[in-house]
Amino acid sequence: MRRPTRRRHTFGVLAGVVLLTIAGAGAPAAARQPGPACSDRPATTAALHDLTGAHRLVGAAIEVSGPECGRWSAASGRADLRTGRPMRVDERIRIGSSTKAFTATVVLQLVAEGQLVLDAAIERYLPGRIRGNGYDGRRITVRDLLRHTSGLPDHVDALDWDRVDRWRYRHFAPAELIAMALAQPPPTASWHYSTTNYVLAGLIVEQVTGHDISMEITRRIIGPLGLRDTYWPGDSVRIRGDHPRGYALVGAERRRDVTEFSMSYGGAGGALVSTLADQNRFFAALLGGRLLDPVRLAEMTHTVPTDPDRLWPDARYGLGIISTPLVDCGGALYWGHGGTTPGFRTLGGVTAGGRRAQLVVNDEPASYESWQALSTTLHTALCEAR
């Protein structure tokens, strides 16, 4: 899920299975502490401080973990401009579009169980839902939704981001979000990032299971993995427990506190609240084969080219997951997602060697250089020598 910015970001095709050899992927993070040889990450620390220094973002935090060094984390800047409270690594944050990886995982589990057919038209599950203005659910498959090749616009683009106070506290029903999307002209590109795709995927899950997508994500992923700080907020505009304040550029104003926000506008494509540690644990378990069988994981990691203006250069999209080459690691891929919501930007993933990292800033980057600095920080964390 995204919101418009000066440069839009959301935060090789593999036919085989990406089953990462992640040591201890399912073990509690607290059980893996860094050893003396791994406690220093000067390049990552410098890049993190650059986000809050040179790029003047309010706060930034990162957690890195893996089989060679256990868990390492650092924070910079402030969690709260009013009180001056420093940023922390262990607090809850909005993860935005990383929710898509959770939703896609549930869909693929249902495919494995025979309750869904990945290449079936969505008309089969949501009859009559996508019709009119040139859109036809009989020509769009479930797979198309998950990899953003449906040809559907993004309802997020239709929201008034210069006047968020008019709608930030209100509830949006999925039908309303879909109507907002269908009222827009068709995208011109064959690949078009659209949170509407995942709103529809969530409705399909509800149709075949009889349960809301939030219940299925909780039952199938959050509970089994013990993600104690990850939850679906529903209509609550507040973040439970300890959390940084989130800031954004709104209209002509420089910066505003937008921590309180109804995430119903993101739904199955962007609603979840989590922590850096829980996100690292989720992606390690997902790519390590704990949530999907090899056939379904191969489907998820079969990627297509993307639009760099709606993601980032060289990114490829699978089914709810993104592959990105790490130039500093010789072009090796990392797998993950990113999220953009009012007040929070997250980015993270896992390498084939098992190192994983999650990064968050509680501010809106105001320039392309700031956006690039986020990517640089993550890439440094994933590539810095042990």
Side-chain angles (χ1 to χ4, degrees):
M1 187 172 57
R2 307 164 294 103
R3 55 157 294 176
T5 60
R6 287 173 177 81
R7 178 178 174 87
R8 291 178 173 176
H9 291 264
T10 310
F11 297 147
V13 176
L14 298 186
V17 179
V18 177
L19 187 59
L20 303 182
T21 55
I22 301 174
R32 303 186 301 277
Q33 296 301 323
C38 299
S39 59
D40 236 358
R41 294 185 185 273
T44 303
T45 301
L48 189 72
H49 289 313
D50 192 51
L51 293 175
T52 58
H55 296 283
R56 304 181 67 182
L57 296 172
V58 174
I62 193 166
E63 182 188 278
V64 186
S65 58
E68 78 286 351
C69 287
R71 177 178 167 184
W72 177 91
S73 62
S76 181
R78 290 165 289 175
D80 189 326
L81 284 175
R82 184 179 62 83
T83 66
R85 182 169 66 86
M87 193 73 168
R88 285 169 42 183
V89 300
D90 59 346
E91 297 189 330
R92 287 172 172 163
I93 54 176
R94 301 194 192 280
I95 64 170
S97 282
S98 288
T99 303
K100 291 179 172 68
F102 286 75
T103 297
T105 299
V106 170
V107 170
L108 288 167
Q109 287 179 347
L110 292 171
V111 170
E113 294 165 10
Q115 298 192 63
L116 272 175
V117 177
L118 198 54
D119 290 310
I122 63 174
E123 178 78 8
R124 175 172 174 177
Y125 306 105
L126 303 173
R129 177 75 72 166
I130 303 299
R131 293 288 180 87
N133 199 24
Y135 305 112
D136 189 344
R138 295 168 295 187
R139 301 176 182 176
I140 300 169
T141 67
V142 176
R143 188 192 302 273
D144 287 328
L145 296 180
L146 298 186
R147 70 181 179 188
H148 299 298
T149 53
S150 68
L152 294 175
D154 191 346
H155 67 268
V156 176
D157 292 337
L159 294 167
D160 188 350
W161 290 102
D162 289 327
R163 299 174 179 84
V164 295
D165 285 342
R166 295 184 177 183
W167 57 271
R168 63 188 275 201
Y169 298 105
R170 63 166 291 193
H171 170 78
F172 287 96
E176 186 177 5
L177 300 176
I178 294 166
M180 290 166 59
L182 298 186
Q184 299 179 71
T188 56
S190 58
W191 187 91
H192 184 81
Y193 190 95
S194 172
T195 295
T196 308
N197 289 324
Y198 278 76
V199 172
L200 288 162
L203 289 178
I204 290 173
V205 169
E206 182 177 353
Q207 180 66 28
V208 301
T209 65
H211 302 139
D212 185 82
I213 182 63
S214 64
M215 293 179 61
E216 290 298 314
I217 286 176
T218 301
R219 181 175 72 86
R220 293 170 176 268
I221 302 174
I222 294 174
L225 293 184
L227 306 180
R228 292 184 292 273
D229 289 309
T230 302
Y231 73 95
W232 191 279
D235 281 334
S236 174
V237 299
R238 298 182 178 181
I239 301 174
R240 298 199 304 253
D242 293 338
H243 60 275
R245 308 301 295 178
Y247 300 91
L249 308 177
V250 179
E253 299 180 36
R254 174 60 188 156
R255 182 180 278 131
R256 287 183 56 192
D257 186 328
V258 290
T259 310
E260 294 185 354
F261 222 101
S262 170
M263 294 310 298
S264 62
Y265 87 90
L272 283 174
V273 171
S274 189
T275 59
L276 299 180
D278 275 6
Q279 284 294 280
N280 267 334
R281 193 172 186 187
F282 164 69
F283 280 107
L286 175 61
L287 275 300
R290 287 194 57 197
L291 296 172
L292 296 174
D293 63 64
V295 173
R296 255 49 66 172
L297 191 54
E299 295 275 18
M300 174 175 267
T301 55
H302 187 91
T303 59
V304 296
T306 66
D307 179 354
D309 283 336
R310 295 186 77 86
L311 279 182
W312 47 81
D314 300 319
R316 295 179 66 92
Y317 208 92
L319 304 182
I321 200 164
I322 304 167
S323 72
T324 308
L326 290 162
V327 176
D328 294 339
C329 297
L333 296 179
Y334 80 87
W335 294 86
H337 215 289
T340 298
T341 71
F344 298 93
R345 309 293 178 271
T346 64
L347 190 63
V350 187
T351 69
R355 186 182 291 195
R356 54 261 194 201
Q358 289 290 327
L359 169 69
V360 65
V361 295
N362 61 332
D363 198 359
E364 177 178 333
S367 67
Y368 176 57
E369 290 72 24
S370 296
W371 279 111
Q372 282 210 308
L374 292 180
S375 177
T376 297
T377 303
L378 179 69
H379 285 217
T380 301
L382 291 172
C383 292
E384 187 170 11
R386 278 67 176 165

